[in-house]
Amino acid sequence: QFEASRKRRDRVYAVLDQAASFYERHLWETAAGAPVRAYLEGRGLGEAVCREFRLGLSPGTGLAEKARQRGFSCEELRRAGLTNARGNDYFPQRLMFPLADARGRVVGFQARKLRDDDPLRGKYVNSPEGELFHKSAILYGLNLARPAIAKQERAVVVEGNTDVIALRQAAFEPVVAAMGT
């Protein structure tokens, strides 16, 4: 039973990592990503640091279909928080911040609103709580900040994801953000 549980969990990690890659490609390689790339540039965030944090863009549709074509089940997509009860993509068109555990494995996403007609209410929406994603257990950027925190024996906790990214871009590395209050 333990082995079956581990295999299930590994499949969820795998689909989350592939979802992050899907979102990254959509941001950096499509025309739909151009205004979002301009938004990031306007916020002073360079492409290199955005790629380091694996920022992406959800097209709103297509992820679930692509994942099923790659052999992931509807149940695996649901457990990963990537689809809703109807099996459709969970996130509408939004800027995607992959959320990683301390080891760097993607465990969920935080999605920033880009349009006024967005069907989700919040400016930021997280993956639903699940087997791997527990909002209170995540410090954004910890996987990248760990070496600097260990070396400098300090960490700075800031308010948001873009604060972490901007400080890392400015060569201040022992920085993380809490995933809420």
Side-chain angles (χ1 to χ4, degrees), residues 33-57:
V36 183
R37 293 189 302 267
Y39 164 79
L40 292 168
E41 187 177 317
R43 294 282 311 260
L45 302 175
E47 182 177 338
V49 75
C50 289
R51 285 183 181 267
E52 184 177 21
F53 281 88
R54 300 188 69 189
L55 299 191
L57 174 64

mmCIF file with all atom_site columns, all heavy atoms in Angstrom, residues 33-57:
data_model
loop_
_atom_site.group_PDB
_atom_site.id
_atom_site.type_symbol
_atom_site.label_atom_id
_atom_site.label_alt_id
_atom_site.label_comp_id
_atom_site.label_asym_id
_atom_site.label_entity_id
_atom_site.label_seq_id
_atom_site.pdbx_PDB_ins_code
_atom_site.Cartn_x
_atom_site.Cartn_y
_atom_site.Cartn_z
_atom_site.occupancy
_atom_site.B_iso_or_equiv
_atom_site.pdbx_formal_charge
_atom_site.auth_seq_id
_atom_site.auth_comp_id
_atom_site.auth_asym_id
_atom_site.auth_atom_id
_atom_site.pdbx_PDB_model_num
ATOM 1   N N   . GLY A 1 33 ? 1.505  35.211 -25.261 1.00 0.00 ? 33 GLY A N   1
ATOM 2   C CA  . GLY A 1 33 ? 2.382  35.558 -24.149 1.00 0.00 ? 33 GLY A CA  1
ATOM 3   C C   . GLY A 1 33 ? 2.983  36.942 -24.244 1.00 0.00 ? 33 GLY A C   1
ATOM 4   O O   . GLY A 1 33 ? 3.483  37.479 -23.253 1.00 0.00 ? 33 GLY A O   1
ATOM 5   N N   . ALA A 1 34 ? 2.938  37.562 -25.420 1.00 0.00 ? 34 ALA A N   1
ATOM 6   C CA  . ALA A 1 34 ? 3.591  38.865 -25.627 1.00 0.00 ? 34 ALA A CA  1
ATOM 7   C C   . ALA A 1 34 ? 3.126  39.938 -24.643 1.00 0.00 ? 34 ALA A C   1
ATOM 8   O O   . ALA A 1 34 ? 3.966  40.618 -24.030 1.00 0.00 ? 34 ALA A O   1
ATOM 9   C CB  . ALA A 1 34 ? 3.425  39.322 -27.070 1.00 0.00 ? 34 ALA A CB  1
ATOM 10  N N   . PRO A 1 35 ? 1.809  40.143 -24.433 1.00 0.00 ? 35 PRO A N   1
ATOM 11  C CA  . PRO A 1 35 ? 1.422  41.178 -23.471 1.00 0.00 ? 35 PRO A CA  1
ATOM 12  C C   . PRO A 1 35 ? 1.831  40.853 -22.038 1.00 0.00 ? 35 PRO A C   1
ATOM 13  O O   . PRO A 1 35 ? 2.108  41.752 -21.245 1.00 0.00 ? 35 PRO A O   1
ATOM 14  C CB  . PRO A 1 35 ? -0.105 41.267 -23.599 1.00 0.00 ? 35 PRO A CB  1
ATOM 15  C CG  . PRO A 1 35 ? -0.541 40.150 -24.470 1.00 0.00 ? 35 PRO A CG  1
ATOM 16  C CD  . PRO A 1 35 ? 0.658  39.565 -25.126 1.00 0.00 ? 35 PRO A CD  1
ATOM 17  N N   . VAL A 1 36 ? 1.908  39.582 -21.701 1.00 0.00 ? 36 VAL A N   1
ATOM 18  C CA  . VAL A 1 36 ? 2.313  39.187 -20.354 1.00 0.00 ? 36 VAL A CA  1
ATOM 19  C C   . VAL A 1 36 ? 3.818  39.393 -20.191 1.00 0.00 ? 36 VAL A C   1
ATOM 20  O O   . VAL A 1 36 ? 4.275  39.856 -19.137 1.00 0.00 ? 36 VAL A O   1
ATOM 21  C CB  . VAL A 1 36 ? 1.893  37.735 -20.045 1.00 0.00 ? 36 VAL A CB  1
ATOM 22  C CG1 . VAL A 1 36 ? 2.264  37.355 -18.623 1.00 0.00 ? 36 VAL A CG1 1
ATOM 23  C CG2 . VAL A 1 36 ? 0.404  37.566 -20.277 1.00 0.00 ? 36 VAL A CG2 1
ATOM 24  N N   . ARG A 1 37 ? 4.567  39.084 -21.234 1.00 0.00 ? 37 ARG A N   1
ATOM 25  C CA  . ARG A 1 37 ? 6.011  39.372 -21.198 1.00 0.00 ? 37 ARG A CA  1
ATOM 26  C C   . ARG A 1 37 ? 6.242  40.875 -21.041 1.00 0.00 ? 37 ARG A C   1
ATOM 27  O O   . ARG A 1 37 ? 7.117  41.305 -20.277 1.00 0.00 ? 37 ARG A O   1
ATOM 28  C CB  . ARG A 1 37 ? 6.695  38.838 -22.459 1.00 0.00 ? 37 ARG A CB  1
ATOM 29  C CG  . ARG A 1 37 ? 6.689  37.319 -22.553 1.00 0.00 ? 37 ARG A CG  1
ATOM 30  C CD  . ARG A 1 37 ? 7.545  36.773 -23.687 1.00 0.00 ? 37 ARG A CD  1
ATOM 31  N NE  . ARG A 1 37 ? 7.188  37.235 -25.000 1.00 0.00 ? 37 ARG A NE  1
ATOM 32  C CZ  . ARG A 1 37 ? 6.351  36.615 -25.839 1.00 0.00 ? 37 ARG A CZ  1
ATOM 33  N NH1 . ARG A 1 37 ? 5.758  35.481 -25.464 1.00 0.00 ? 37 ARG A NH1 1
ATOM 34  N NH2 . ARG A 1 37 ? 6.111  37.104 -27.036 1.00 0.00 ? 37 ARG A NH2 1
ATOM 35  N N   . ALA A 1 38 ? 5.438  41.688 -21.735 1.00 0.00 ? 38 ALA A N   1
ATOM 36  C CA  . ALA A 1 38 ? 5.539  43.148 -21.609 1.00 0.00 ? 38 ALA A CA  1
ATOM 37  C C   . ALA A 1 38 ? 5.169  43.596 -20.195 1.00 0.00 ? 38 ALA A C   1
ATOM 38  O O   . ALA A 1 38 ? 5.804  44.507 -19.631 1.00 0.00 ? 38 ALA A O   1
ATOM 39  C CB  . ALA A 1 38 ? 4.650  43.827 -22.639 1.00 0.00 ? 38 ALA A CB  1
ATOM 40  N N   . TYR A 1 39 ? 4.151  42.966 -19.609 1.00 0.00 ? 39 TYR A N   1
ATOM 41  C CA  . TYR A 1 39 ? 3.759  43.276 -18.236 1.00 0.00 ? 39 TYR A CA  1
ATOM 42  C C   . TYR A 1 39 ? 4.930  43.005 -17.282 1.00 0.00 ? 39 TYR A C   1
ATOM 43  O O   . TYR A 1 39 ? 5.250  43.836 -16.420 1.00 0.00 ? 39 TYR A O   1
ATOM 44  C CB  . TYR A 1 39 ? 2.529  42.445 -17.834 1.00 0.00 ? 39 TYR A CB  1
ATOM 45  C CG  . TYR A 1 39 ? 2.282  42.402 -16.353 1.00 0.00 ? 39 TYR A CG  1
ATOM 46  C CD1 . TYR A 1 39 ? 1.682  43.475 -15.701 1.00 0.00 ? 39 TYR A CD1 1
ATOM 47  C CD2 . TYR A 1 39 ? 2.678  41.307 -15.587 1.00 0.00 ? 39 TYR A CD2 1
ATOM 48  C CE1 . TYR A 1 39 ? 1.477  43.447 -14.322 1.00 0.00 ? 39 TYR A CE1 1
ATOM 49  C CE2 . TYR A 1 39 ? 2.472  41.271 -14.226 1.00 0.00 ? 39 TYR A CE2 1
ATOM 50  C CZ  . TYR A 1 39 ? 1.871  42.344 -13.600 1.00 0.00 ? 39 TYR A CZ  1
ATOM 51  O OH  . TYR A 1 39 ? 1.689  42.320 -12.239 1.00 0.00 ? 39 TYR A OH  1
ATOM 52  N N   . LEU A 1 40 ? 5.558  41.845 -17.423 1.00 0.00 ? 40 LEU A N   1
ATOM 53  C CA  . LEU A 1 40 ? 6.687  41.497 -16.555 1.00 0.00 ? 40 LEU A CA  1
ATOM 54  C C   . LEU A 1 40 ? 7.840  42.486 -16.738 1.00 0.00 ? 40 LEU A C   1
ATOM 55  O O   . LEU A 1 40 ? 8.448  42.929 -15.756 1.00 0.00 ? 40 LEU A O   1
ATOM 56  C CB  . LEU A 1 40 ? 7.156  40.065 -16.850 1.00 0.00 ? 40 LEU A CB  1
ATOM 57  C CG  . LEU A 1 40 ? 6.174  38.960 -16.447 1.00 0.00 ? 40 LEU A CG  1
ATOM 58  C CD1 . LEU A 1 40 ? 6.589  37.627 -17.048 1.00 0.00 ? 40 LEU A CD1 1
ATOM 59  C CD2 . LEU A 1 40 ? 6.060  38.872 -14.930 1.00 0.00 ? 40 LEU A CD2 1
ATOM 60  N N   . GLU A 1 41 ? 8.121  42.833 -17.976 1.00 0.00 ? 41 GLU A N   1
ATOM 61  C CA  . GLU A 1 41 ? 9.179  43.813 -18.261 1.00 0.00 ? 41 GLU A CA  1
ATOM 62  C C   . GLU A 1 41 ? 8.828  45.156 -17.626 1.00 0.00 ? 41 GLU A C   1
ATOM 63  O O   . GLU A 1 41 ? 9.694  45.811 -17.044 1.00 0.00 ? 41 GLU A O   1
ATOM 64  C CB  . GLU A 1 41 ? 9.361  43.956 -19.765 1.00 0.00 ? 41 GLU A CB  1
ATOM 65  C CG  . GLU A 1 41 ? 10.549 44.814 -20.149 1.00 0.00 ? 41 GLU A CG  1
ATOM 66  C CD  . GLU A 1 41 ? 10.739 44.878 -21.649 1.00 0.00 ? 41 GLU A CD  1
ATOM 67  O OE1 . GLU A 1 41 ? 10.622 43.832 -22.316 1.00 0.00 ? 41 GLU A OE1 1
ATOM 68  O OE2 . GLU A 1 41 ? 10.999 45.993 -22.147 1.00 0.00 ? 41 GLU A OE2 1
ATOM 69  N N   . GLY A 1 42 ? 7.559  45.547 -17.711 1.00 0.00 ? 42 GLY A N   1
ATOM 70  C CA  . GLY A 1 42 ? 7.117  46.794 -17.098 1.00 0.00 ? 42 GLY A CA  1
ATOM 71  C C   . GLY A 1 42 ? 7.249  46.784 -15.587 1.00 0.00 ? 42 GLY A C   1
ATOM 72  O O   . GLY A 1 42 ? 7.401  47.839 -14.960 1.00 0.00 ? 42 GLY A O   1
ATOM 73  N N   . ARG A 1 43 ? 7.181  45.619 -14.996 1.00 0.00 ? 43 ARG A N   1
ATOM 74  C CA  . ARG A 1 43 ? 7.397  45.481 -13.549 1.00 0.00 ? 43 ARG A CA  1
ATOM 75  C C   . ARG A 1 43 ? 8.880  45.415 -13.204 1.00 0.00 ? 43 ARG A C   1
ATOM 76  O O   . ARG A 1 43 ? 9.254  45.248 -12.050 1.00 0.00 ? 43 ARG A O   1
ATOM 77  C CB  . ARG A 1 43 ? 6.719  44.198 -13.030 1.00 0.00 ? 43 ARG A CB  1
ATOM 78  C CG  . ARG A 1 43 ? 5.209  44.141 -13.102 1.00 0.00 ? 43 ARG A CG  1
ATOM 79  C CD  . ARG A 1 43 ? 4.491  44.918 -12.003 1.00 0.00 ? 43 ARG A CD  1
ATOM 80  N NE  . ARG A 1 43 ? 4.930  44.701 -10.654 1.00 0.00 ? 43 ARG A NE  1
ATOM 81  C CZ  . ARG A 1 43 ? 4.339  43.924 -9.767  1.00 0.00 ? 43 ARG A CZ  1
ATOM 82  N NH1 . ARG A 1 43 ? 3.273  43.243 -10.091 1.00 0.00 ? 43 ARG A NH1 1
ATOM 83  N NH2 . ARG A 1 43 ? 4.812  43.831 -8.546  1.00 0.00 ? 43 ARG A NH2 1
ATOM 84  N N   . GLY A 1 44 ? 9.738  45.505 -14.231 1.00 0.00 ? 44 GLY A N   1
ATOM 85  C CA  . GLY A 1 44 ? 11.179 45.478 -14.005 1.00 0.00 ? 44 GLY A CA  1
ATOM 86  C C   . GLY A 1 44 ? 11.757 44.094 -13.855 1.00 0.00 ? 44 GLY A C   1
ATOM 87  O O   . GLY A 1 44 ? 12.891 43.939 -13.394 1.00 0.00 ? 44 GLY A O   1
ATOM 88  N N   . LEU A 1 45 ? 10.998 43.070 -14.236 1.00 0.00 ? 45 LEU A N   1
ATOM 89  C CA  . LEU A 1 45 ? 11.464 41.691 -14.092 1.00 0.00 ? 45 LEU A CA  1
ATOM 90  C C   . LEU A 1 45 ? 11.985 41.178 -15.424 1.00 0.00 ? 45 LEU A C   1
ATOM 91  O O   . LEU A 1 45 ? 11.252 41.104 -16.411 1.00 0.00 ? 45 LEU A O   1
ATOM 92  C CB  . LEU A 1 45 ? 10.323 40.799 -13.593 1.00 0.00 ? 45 LEU A CB  1
ATOM 93  C CG  . LEU A 1 45 ? 9.701  41.224 -12.257 1.00 0.00 ? 45 LEU A CG  1
ATOM 94  C CD1 . LEU A 1 45 ? 8.517  40.348 -11.917 1.00 0.00 ? 45 LEU A CD1 1
ATOM 95  C CD2 . LEU A 1 45 ? 10.739 41.206 -11.150 1.00 0.00 ? 45 LEU A CD2 1
ATOM 96  N N   . GLY A 1 46 ? 13.262 40.841 -15.459 1.00 0.00 ? 46 GLY A N   1
ATOM 97  C CA  . GLY A 1 46 ? 13.897 40.367 -16.680 1.00 0.00 ? 46 GLY A CA  1
ATOM 98  C C   . GLY A 1 46 ? 13.545 38.924 -17.006 1.00 0.00 ? 46 GLY A C   1
ATOM 99  O O   . GLY A 1 46 ? 13.140 38.141 -16.136 1.00 0.00 ? 46 GLY A O   1
ATOM 100 N N   . GLU A 1 47 ? 13.735 38.591 -18.260 1.00 0.00 ? 47 GLU A N   1
ATOM 101 C CA  . GLU A 1 47 ? 13.401 37.247 -18.726 1.00 0.00 ? 47 GLU A CA  1
ATOM 102 C C   . GLU A 1 47 ? 14.192 36.170 -17.985 1.00 0.00 ? 47 GLU A C   1
ATOM 103 O O   . GLU A 1 47 ? 13.635 35.135 -17.620 1.00 0.00 ? 47 GLU A O   1
ATOM 104 C CB  . GLU A 1 47 ? 13.650 37.137 -20.234 1.00 0.00 ? 47 GLU A CB  1
ATOM 105 C CG  . GLU A 1 47 ? 13.292 35.786 -20.790 1.00 0.00 ? 47 GLU A CG  1
ATOM 106 C CD  . GLU A 1 47 ? 13.457 35.682 -22.290 1.00 0.00 ? 47 GLU A CD  1
ATOM 107 O OE1 . GLU A 1 47 ? 13.458 36.705 -22.999 1.00 0.00 ? 47 GLU A OE1 1
ATOM 108 O OE2 . GLU A 1 47 ? 13.585 34.526 -22.769 1.00 0.00 ? 47 GLU A OE2 1
ATOM 109 N N   . ALA A 1 48 ? 15.461 36.408 -17.756 1.00 0.00 ? 48 ALA A N   1
ATOM 110 C CA  . ALA A 1 48 ? 16.293 35.369 -17.129 1.00 0.00 ? 48 ALA A CA  1
ATOM 111 C C   . ALA A 1 48 ? 15.768 34.983 -15.748 1.00 0.00 ? 48 ALA A C   1
ATOM 112 O O   . ALA A 1 48 ? 15.635 33.791 -15.436 1.00 0.00 ? 48 ALA A O   1
ATOM 113 C CB  . ALA A 1 48 ? 17.751 35.833 -17.043 1.00 0.00 ? 48 ALA A CB  1
ATOM 114 N N   . VAL A 1 49 ? 15.446 35.956 -14.914 1.00 0.00 ? 49 VAL A N   1
ATOM 115 C CA  . VAL A 1 49 ? 14.962 35.634 -13.566 1.00 0.00 ? 49 VAL A CA  1
ATOM 116 C C   . VAL A 1 49 ? 13.552 35.046 -13.624 1.00 0.00 ? 49 VAL A C   1
ATOM 117 O O   . VAL A 1 49 ? 13.215 34.154 -12.844 1.00 0.00 ? 49 VAL A O   1
ATOM 118 C CB  . VAL A 1 49 ? 15.058 36.859 -12.616 1.00 0.00 ? 49 VAL A CB  1
ATOM 119 C CG1 . VAL A 1 49 ? 13.983 37.895 -12.903 1.00 0.00 ? 49 VAL A CG1 1
ATOM 120 C CG2 . VAL A 1 49 ? 15.031 36.404 -11.164 1.00 0.00 ? 49 VAL A CG2 1
ATOM 121 N N   . CYS A 1 50 ? 12.747 35.504 -14.561 1.00 0.00 ? 50 CYS A N   1
ATOM 122 C CA  . CYS A 1 50 ? 11.399 34.931 -14.712 1.00 0.00 ? 50 CYS A CA  1
ATOM 123 C C   . CYS A 1 50 ? 11.485 33.468 -15.135 1.00 0.00 ? 50 CYS A C   1
ATOM 124 O O   . CYS A 1 50 ? 10.707 32.628 -14.669 1.00 0.00 ? 50 CYS A O   1
ATOM 125 C CB  . CYS A 1 50 ? 10.588 35.738 -15.721 1.00 0.00 ? 50 CYS A CB  1
ATOM 126 S SG  . CYS A 1 50 ? 10.107 37.368 -15.109 1.00 0.00 ? 50 CYS A SG  1
ATOM 127 N N   . ARG A 1 51 ? 12.434 33.165 -15.989 1.00 0.00 ? 51 ARG A N   1
ATOM 128 C CA  . ARG A 1 51 ? 12.630 31.764 -16.391 1.00 0.00 ? 51 ARG A CA  1
ATOM 129 C C   . ARG A 1 51 ? 13.187 30.934 -15.243 1.00 0.00 ? 51 ARG A C   1
ATOM 130 O O   . ARG A 1 51 ? 12.854 29.765 -15.088 1.00 0.00 ? 51 ARG A O   1
ATOM 131 C CB  . ARG A 1 51 ? 13.542 31.680 -17.611 1.00 0.00 ? 51 ARG A CB  1
ATOM 132 C CG  . ARG A 1 51 ? 12.843 32.091 -18.901 1.00 0.00 ? 51 ARG A CG  1
ATOM 133 C CD  . ARG A 1 51 ? 13.791 31.900 -20.089 1.00 0.00 ? 51 ARG A CD  1
ATOM 134 N NE  . ARG A 1 51 ? 13.215 32.279 -21.339 1.00 0.00 ? 51 ARG A NE  1
ATOM 135 C CZ  . ARG A 1 51 ? 12.580 31.444 -22.173 1.00 0.00 ? 51 ARG A CZ  1
ATOM 136 N NH1 . ARG A 1 51 ? 12.434 30.175 -21.849 1.00 0.00 ? 51 ARG A NH1 1
ATOM 137 N NH2 . ARG A 1 51 ? 12.100 31.878 -23.323 1.00 0.00 ? 51 ARG A NH2 1
ATOM 138 N N   . GLU A 1 52 ? 14.051 31.540 -14.420 1.00 0.00 ? 52 GLU A N   1
ATOM 139 C CA  . GLU A 1 52 ? 14.592 30.820 -13.267 1.00 0.00 ? 52 GLU A CA  1
ATOM 140 C C   . GLU A 1 52 ? 13.466 30.385 -12.326 1.00 0.00 ? 52 GLU A C   1
ATOM 141 O O   . GLU A 1 52 ? 13.497 29.288 -11.768 1.00 0.00 ? 52 GLU A O   1
ATOM 142 C CB  . GLU A 1 52 ? 15.588 31.710 -12.521 1.00 0.00 ? 52 GLU A CB  1
ATOM 143 C CG  . GLU A 1 52 ? 16.264 31.030 -11.366 1.00 0.00 ? 52 GLU A CG  1
ATOM 144 C CD  . GLU A 1 52 ? 17.297 31.909 -10.677 1.00 0.00 ? 52 GLU A CD  1
ATOM 145 O OE1 . GLU A 1 52 ? 17.247 33.152 -10.801 1.00 0.00 ? 52 GLU A OE1 1
ATOM 146 O OE2 . GLU A 1 52 ? 18.150 31.335 -9.991  1.00 0.00 ? 52 GLU A OE2 1
ATOM 147 N N   . PHE A 1 53 ? 12.454 31.224 -12.171 1.00 0.00 ? 53 PHE A N   1
ATOM 148 C CA  . PHE A 1 53 ? 11.308 30.901 -11.326 1.00 0.00 ? 53 PHE A CA  1
ATOM 149 C C   . PHE A 1 53 ? 10.214 30.161 -12.092 1.00 0.00 ? 53 PHE A C   1
ATOM 150 O O   . PHE A 1 53 ? 9.173  29.862 -11.529 1.00 0.00 ? 53 PHE A O   1
ATOM 151 C CB  . PHE A 1 53 ? 10.737 32.176 -10.691 1.00 0.00 ? 53 PHE A CB  1
ATOM 152 C CG  . PHE A 1 53 ? 11.532 32.649 -9.510  1.00 0.00 ? 53 PHE A CG  1
ATOM 153 C CD1 . PHE A 1 53 ? 12.614 33.504 -9.676  1.00 0.00 ? 53 PHE A CD1 1
ATOM 154 C CD2 . PHE A 1 53 ? 11.219 32.225 -8.228  1.00 0.00 ? 53 PHE A CD2 1
ATOM 155 C CE1 . PHE A 1 53 ? 13.354 33.937 -8.588  1.00 0.00 ? 53 PHE A CE1 1
ATOM 156 C CE2 . PHE A 1 53 ? 11.949 32.654 -7.128  1.00 0.00 ? 53 PHE A CE2 1
ATOM 157 C CZ  . PHE A 1 53 ? 13.029 33.509 -7.314  1.00 0.00 ? 53 PHE A CZ  1
ATOM 158 N N   . ARG A 1 54 ? 10.457 29.885 -13.359 1.00 0.00 ? 54 ARG A N   1
ATOM 159 C CA  . ARG A 1 54 ? 9.575  29.110 -14.222 1.00 0.00 ? 54 ARG A CA  1
ATOM 160 C C   . ARG A 1 54 ? 8.196  29.741 -14.403 1.00 0.00 ? 54 ARG A C   1
ATOM 161 O O   . ARG A 1 54 ? 7.186  29.047 -14.480 1.00 0.00 ? 54 ARG A O   1
ATOM 162 C CB  . ARG A 1 54 ? 9.429  27.673 -13.721 1.00 0.00 ? 54 ARG A CB  1
ATOM 163 C CG  . ARG A 1 54 ? 10.735 26.909 -13.647 1.00 0.00 ? 54 ARG A CG  1
ATOM 164 C CD  . ARG A 1 54 ? 10.529 25.454 -13.343 1.00 0.00 ? 54 ARG A CD  1
ATOM 165 N NE  . ARG A 1 54 ? 9.892  24.785 -14.484 1.00 0.00 ? 54 ARG A NE  1
ATOM 166 C CZ  . ARG A 1 54 ? 9.436  23.540 -14.457 1.00 0.00 ? 54 ARG A CZ  1
ATOM 167 N NH1 . ARG A 1 54 ? 9.545  22.818 -13.363 1.00 0.00 ? 54 ARG A NH1 1
ATOM 168 N NH2 . ARG A 1 54 ? 8.862  22.996 -15.514 1.00 0.00 ? 54 ARG A NH2 1
ATOM 169 N N   . LEU A 1 55 ? 8.152  31.074 -14.477 1.00 0.00 ? 55 LEU A N   1
ATOM 170 C CA  . LEU A 1 55 ? 6.874  31.735 -14.691 1.00 0.00 ? 55 LEU A CA  1
ATOM 171 C C   . LEU A 1 55 ? 6.274  31.277 -16.011 1.00 0.00 ? 55 LEU A C   1
ATOM 172 O O   . LEU A 1 55 ? 6.987  30.960 -16.952 1.00 0.00 ? 55 LEU A O   1
ATOM 173 C CB  . LEU A 1 55 ? 7.029  33.257 -14.695 1.00 0.00 ? 55 LEU A CB  1
ATOM 174 C CG  . LEU A 1 55 ? 7.567  33.882 -13.414 1.00 0.00 ? 55 LEU A CG  1
ATOM 175 C CD1 . LEU A 1 55 ? 7.414  35.404 -13.482 1.00 0.00 ? 55 LEU A CD1 1
ATOM 176 C CD2 . LEU A 1 55 ? 6.903  33.342 -12.181 1.00 0.00 ? 55 LEU A CD2 1
ATOM 177 N N   . GLY A 1 56 ? 4.953  31.263 -16.048 1.00 0.00 ? 56 GLY A N   1
ATOM 178 C CA  . GLY A 1 56 ? 4.270  30.805 -17.240 1.00 0.00 ? 56 GLY A CA  1
ATOM 179 C C   . GLY A 1 56 ? 2.950  31.525 -17.433 1.00 0.00 ? 56 GLY A C   1
ATOM 180 O O   . GLY A 1 56 ? 2.605  32.447 -16.697 1.00 0.00 ? 56 GLY A O   1
ATOM 181 N N   . LEU A 1 57 ? 2.231  31.082 -18.434 1.00 0.00 ? 57 LEU A N   1
ATOM 182 C CA  . LEU A 1 57 ? 0.921  31.647 -18.752 1.00 0.00 ? 57 LEU A CA  1
ATOM 183 C C   . LEU A 1 57 ? -0.046 30.511 -19.009 1.00 0.00 ? 57 LEU A C   1
ATOM 184 O O   . LEU A 1 57 ? 0.219  29.650 -19.859 1.00 0.00 ? 57 LEU A O   1
ATOM 185 C CB  . LEU A 1 57 ? 1.016  32.544 -19.998 1.00 0.00 ? 57 LEU A CB  1
ATOM 186 C CG  . LEU A 1 57 ? -0.301 33.097 -20.546 1.00 0.00 ? 57 LEU A CG  1
ATOM 187 C CD1 . LEU A 1 57 ? -0.971 34.024 -19.538 1.00 0.00 ? 57 LEU A CD1 1
ATOM 188 C CD2 . LEU A 1 57 ? -0.058 33.819 -21.868 1.00 0.00 ? 57 LEU A CD2 1
#
